[in-house]
Amino acid sequence: MLRNGQARNLALATAAFALTFWAWNLIGPLSGSYSRRLGLSPTETSLLVAIPVLVGALGRIPVGILADRLGGRRMFAVICFVSIVPVLFVGFSDSYGWLLLWGFLLGIPGTSFAVGIPFVNAWYTPERRGFATGVFGAGMGGTALSAFFTPRLAEAFGRPVTHVIMAVALALMGVIMLLVSRDSPSWTPATTPALPRMREAMRITATWQCAFLYAVAFGGFVAFSTYLPTLLQAVYHFAQTDAGLRTAGFSIAAVVSRPLGGTLSDRVGPNRVLLLSFAGTALMALVLAFEPPAELPAGVSFVLMAFFLGLGTGGVFALVARLVEPSRVGTVTGLVGAAGGLGGYFPPLVMGAVYAATGAYAIGYGLLALTALAALLYTYRAFSKLPRRD
């Protein structure tokens, strides 16, 4: 039976995660309009789309450390309030240089992941943490909300008003987290200095193992959810709103499968879930390399790709919960989350460069397939036997 407050705080953390992820992905769904208005090349467009991912990745390291010290309740509120500044400035910027600058800082809301994992972990016992982190991870569906609603809001009200709406939503969520959410009674703030804790986390083998696997699984999801509108407009010539609708479908598939991946990990082990995830990802990448026609062949392939990547994201943090003691989860999550974000930073740049050079994305898909196969082989060799639960 759930302890008092478990369900409420899991729901609040998931909602805050979804909203901040929406803010993190405000540029991607509008990439086509930025490209046309500013006359951007494919490489410049991919850089604009990818730049928020960089801070969203690297910022998870200090944010994870602060979450161990200050708690998830306060850190969620801080991230919501601080994110308002870049959200507003991106909405009112009309030059490529300013968009890059404020887009860089738009990565701040993407750091919320490193707050939520230790926050929900502390509310649940080890045998239920796969479920808890999987449900929380479904908040990455904020990218689906952004892909679907951001282009439509921009068309109806204009880009500046759209960003003002997001800023107001972030302010309200910050207040809600302060007033309604609570840190788990079992959570105790870390009192040791940050750098020693980070060094200790970096000495844990599981940190680097999970960082690699998350860079593939979550990095693949982030790369597609941010760059897919650009790809669909370039290859299949969809309008911006139509590309956003299909990107939302991609994100929803991953959102549904992430808690499934966490729950299955509790039952059959995260290693088996990860093997299935990486095998399916490699297969779908090979199918997409041949640029199958829209809608049915390509659409099904993208949705299955998202499903397999979502399974993997749920499996990785079930693995973290299995291998890392709770007092270190925040710091380890920051490092692993940073790796996942960085995994999503480079693929859009590669895809943009490949498309600019060849007029197709086949080489990029091939590299994704090889990376997924490498992750599959590593998972098989490193985690064929997992330690028992506490």
Side-chain angles (χ1 to χ4, degrees):
M1 185 173 178
L2 292 177
R3 292 183 307 189
N4 184 36
Q6 277 185 323
R8 181 182 74 250
N9 284 284
L10 178 57
L12 287 170
T14 304
F17 182 37
L19 184 65
T20 52
F21 251 44
W22 182 344
W24 190 32
N25 191 39
L26 279 171
I27 290 178
L30 302 179
S31 61
S33 62
Y34 286 124
S35 179
R36 289 188 293 272
R37 189 171 70 252
L38 301 176
L40 304 181
S41 68
T43 302
E44 289 173 325
T45 302
S46 63
L47 178 61
L48 181 61
V49 169
I51 199 69
V53 179
L54 185 60
V55 172
L58 297 178
R60 292 179 184 186
I61 297 174
V63 165
I65 293 171
L66 288 172
D68 281 343
R69 181 178 291 272
L70 301 177
R73 169 179 164 270
R74 280 188 283 181
M75 283 304 298
F76 265 126
V78 167
I79 288 173
C80 285
F81 293 143
V82 173
S83 298
I84 291 171
V85 176
V87 163
L88 288 175
F89 276 100
V90 167
F92 288 89
S93 296
D94 285 315
S95 72
Y96 186 63
W98 283 113
L99 281 170
L100 285 179
L101 172 63
W102 294 112
F104 181 79
L105 296 177
L106 194 63
I108 291 170
T111 65
S112 64
F113 179 79
V115 176
I117 290 293
F119 179 78
V120 302
N121 251 2
W123 276 103
Y124 287 81
T125 55
E127 66 272 11
R128 294 283 287 167
R129 285 176 183 154
F131 160 79
T133 57
V135 170
F136 167 75
M140 67 187 189
T143 59
L145 296 174
S146 182
F148 183 81
F149 288 109
T150 300
R152 286 163 174 76
L153 288 171
E155 285 192 359
F157 304 110
R159 180 166 57 95
V161 174
T162 298
H163 282 248
V164 169
I165 292 171
M166 175 55 62
V168 171
L170 287 167
L172 290 174
M173 181 57 72
V175 172
I176 289 170
M177 292 305 292
L178 281 178
L179 297 181
V180 183
S181 72
R182 293 291 182 269
D183 292 307
S184 169
S186 65
W187 174 79
T188 55
T191 56
T192 56
L195 288 179
R197 283 189 287 122
M198 184 179 293
R199 285 196 295 267
E200 289 176 6
M202 293 176 72
R203 292 191 189 105
I204 301 172
T205 302
T207 300
W208 298 105
Q209 292 172 320
C210 295
F212 166 61
L213 298 178
Y214 201 60
V216 179
F218 184 73
F221 166 76
V222 170
F224 272 100
S225 61
T226 56
Y227 192 70
L228 194 55
T230 303
L231 186 152
L232 292 175
Q233 291 176 74
V235 176
Y236 296 105
H237 309 293
F238 288 120
Q240 183 168 270
T241 52
D242 293 333
L245 175 63
R246 286 156 181 82
T247 302
F250 175 92
S251 297
I252 289 170
V255 168
V256 170
S257 64
R258 179 159 187 160
L260 177 61
T263 303
L264 284 176
S265 295
D266 287 338
R267 293 178 177 272
V268 304
N271 53 335
R272 293 184 175 89
V273 172
L274 289 169
L275 289 174
L276 174 62
S277 167
F278 295 133
T281 298
L283 178 60
M284 290 302 101
L286 290 175
V287 171
L288 288 167
F290 292 97
E291 292 188 2
E295 298 271 355
L296 188 60
V300 170
S301 299
F302 279 121
V303 167
L304 287 175
M305 169 82 78
F307 179 83
F308 287 122
L309 289 171
L311 284 180
T313 59
V316 169
F317 275 95
L319 188 62
V320 170
R322 184 79 68 91
L323 299 177
V324 179
E325 62 183 76
S327 63
R328 296 179 176 177
V329 165
T331 305
V332 171
T333 295
L335 293 167
V336 173
L342 287 175
Y345 173 70
F346 293 104
L349 300 180
V350 172
M351 296 293 266
V354 165
Y355 188 77
T358 66
Y361 290 106
I363 294 175
Y365 286 124
L367 292 173
L368 173 59
L370 289 174
T371 304
L373 286 174
L376 184 151
L377 292 173
Y378 182 77
T379 301
Y380 179 78
R381 293 191 63 181
F383 301 110
S384 57
K385 293 183 180 179
L386 281 175
R388 297 174 64 86
R389 295 187 181 96
D390 295 337

